[in-house]
Amino acid sequence: MKKLVYILCLASLCVNAQEDLLEEIDTQNTDDNYASAAFKGLKIVNFESTKMVSQKELYFVVSHRFGSIETGIKDFFGLDQAVTRLNFIYGISDGINIGVSRSSFQKTYETSLKLRLLRQKSNGMPFTVVLFNSLLINTVLDKEELPGLEFKHRLSYAVQALISRKFSKDFSLEIIPTLFHDNLVAFDAQTNTQYALGFGGRHKLSKRWSINFDYGLHLNRASNSPFKNPLSIGFDLETGGHVFQLHFTNAQPMNVNTFLGQATGDWTDGNIFFGFNLSRIF
């Protein structure tokens, strides 16, 4: 019950916002011919989008991922096994963002840096290119259970190139080459340095609604690994002051290394997770 009250309070805080993200025009900017709003959310679903936080703006993003709906009414369709992530992202400039987050999955802390290198332009550059870098600290690891555990074993890293193109006012695609490294892997047979190729897209359904998807193809997963490639489908709802993202995915964790390296769900078995992201701008 406490978790439910907590979620409702956060939702109320965001709904009361006065800013309107609909002011961000979906068509191209007539002043400089740059394509804008290829994605309205900072996330497609799991993967980062090429959207940036503007200079001197602060985003507070609450991400909540319930447990598997496969458990049914026993765990109230996953409510009792939820994972929450709180993320602050600040725009140092329109092309440089920094972030700090904490996830209840493995009590993980993250710092991130997002840099825009190229921007799609109607009469020039055909793509937007953004680099995303993150550092994770896993604080749930216990020295009593892992003798010889050092601080370095808690660290993980990820580097991604986010390459998107807005094909029309309604349709955008993104490809995400990814390298991530875990100093201590969750599965012994897995190599520490791992590679993946992500794909994602957005199709606008109406003024306020869009459907989004993303998929991560792990390129060197251990052959007997219990983990799966993450596939996610969701909807974005734009309301006053925030974008409300609803989604279904087979990956409960929400950091790059964890949703790519430790997704346990299986769509074919109905072992999937419902979740949402709430974004509030300051």
Side-chain angles (χ1 to χ4, degrees):
M1 179 61 71
K2 289 183 179 179
K3 284 186 177 180
L4 184 58
V5 171
Y6 168 70
I7 294 166
L8 293 174
C9 289
L10 287 172
S12 176
L13 172 65
C14 293
V15 169
N16 289 333
Q18 297 301 313
E19 296 87 359
D20 194 347
L21 290 185
L22 291 177
E23 293 176 0
E24 184 177 3
I25 304 171
D26 272 329
T27 55
Q28 292 191 343
N29 189 317
T30 55
D31 294 333
D32 50 26
N33 293 319
Y34 286 121
S36 63
F39 297 92
K40 283 299 185 72
L42 295 170
K43 293 268 194 178
I44 304 174
V45 181
N46 277 318
F47 284 94
E48 293 284 326
S49 76
T50 51
K51 177 181 172 63
M52 303 291 293
V53 173
S54 299
Q55 185 174 18
K56 296 184 179 180
E57 282 189 347
L58 176 66
Y59 270 59
F60 175 47
V61 182
V62 179
S63 300
H64 203 76
R65 195 71 54 80
F66 296 95
S68 175
I69 64 174
E70 186 184 34
T71 59
I73 195 64
K74 178 183 176 181
D75 287 328
F76 204 71
F77 299 95
L79 180 64
D80 296 340
Q81 306 296 330
V83 168
T84 301
R85 181 177 182 230
L86 305 179
N87 193 10
F88 289 91
I89 308 103
Y90 180 73
I92 295 177
S93 70
D94 289 346
I96 303 176
N97 293 174
I98 56 174
V100 178
S101 75
R102 201 273 189 183
S103 172
S104 60
F105 182 81
Q106 298 176 348
K107 299 181 180 180
T108 302
Y109 291 85
E110 178 191 79
T111 61
S112 65
L113 175 65
K114 198 171 182 179
L115 303 170
R116 184 167 59 207
L117 303 182
L118 300 171
R119 193 172 177 187
Q120 182 180 343
K121 202 169 185 179
S122 62
N123 57 354
M125 176 55 57
F127 306 104
T128 294
V129 179
V130 173
L131 291 183
F132 180 77
N133 308 270
S134 63
L135 166 66
L136 303 183
I137 304 175
N138 181 337
T139 64
V140 80
L141 298 176
D142 191 335
K143 289 186 177 182
E144 293 183 3
E145 297 179 4
L146 295 169
L149 179 71
E150 299 179 31
F151 178 74
K152 66 181 181 180
H153 296 133
R154 300 181 183 275
L155 302 179
S156 297
Y157 316 87
V159 179
Q160 296 181 297
L162 317 175
I163 306 166
S164 73
R165 176 169 173 79
K166 186 174 183 178
F167 289 90
S168 70
K169 67 181 183 67
D170 295 332
F171 183 63
S172 302
L173 285 176
E174 183 173 307
I175 185 170
I176 310 110
T178 301
L179 181 152
F180 63 103
H181 180 94
D182 298 324
N183 284 347
L184 182 65
V185 292
F187 182 62
D188 289 342
Q190 181 63 56
T191 57
N192 297 83
T193 300
Q194 302 169 62
Y195 308 92
L197 186 60
F199 306 89
R202 170 184 183 257
H203 187 269
K204 189 176 179 181
L205 301 175
S206 68
K207 186 177 181 181
R208 293 183 179 270
W209 286 94
S210 70
I211 184 170
N212 296 3
F213 79 93
D214 59 33
Y215 175 74
L217 176 62
H218 197 296
L219 300 176
N220 65 328
R221 195 185 303 280
S223 59
N224 56 341
S225 173
F227 301 120
K228 312 291 184 182
N229 290 335
L231 171 63
S232 311
I233 300 172
F235 295 90
D236 284 5
L237 171 62
E238 299 167 51
T239 64
H242 70 281
V243 175
F244 187 29
Q245 297 182 300
L246 305 166
H247 44 255
F248 292 91
T249 177
N250 64 324
Q252 190 181 34
M254 290 169 275
N255 300 98
V256 173
N257 298 57
T258 52
F259 74 73
L260 279 172
Q262 299 181 50
T264 57
D266 191 330
W267 279 84
T268 59
D269 294 336
N271 184 14
I272 56 176
F273 308 90
F274 171 70
F276 62 81
N277 299 328
L278 285 171
S279 299
R280 173 71 168 91
I281 306 174
F282 295 94

